[in-house]
Amino acid sequence: MKGLLPWLGVLALVMLLSALRMRPLATAVSLTWLAWCVWTWIRPTRRGPS
């Protein structure tokens, strides 16, 4: 459940911004979150040889 909290927080923020008619900001938050998730998924590990 702890790993889901950031996702739920971003979802709640995007829904709130959308409800407040701040859709461009909600879109920016969504795209930033998506980019961060993709970056953490594909970034190379910086481990040297053991």
Side-chain angles (χ1 to χ4, degrees), residues 3 6-7 10 28-43:
W7 289 92
V10 170
V29 170
S30 298
L31 292 176
T32 303
W33 179 251
L34 178 64
W36 183 83
C37 290
V38 168
W39 170 251
T40 58
W41 184 54
I42 65 169
R43 94 177 153 208

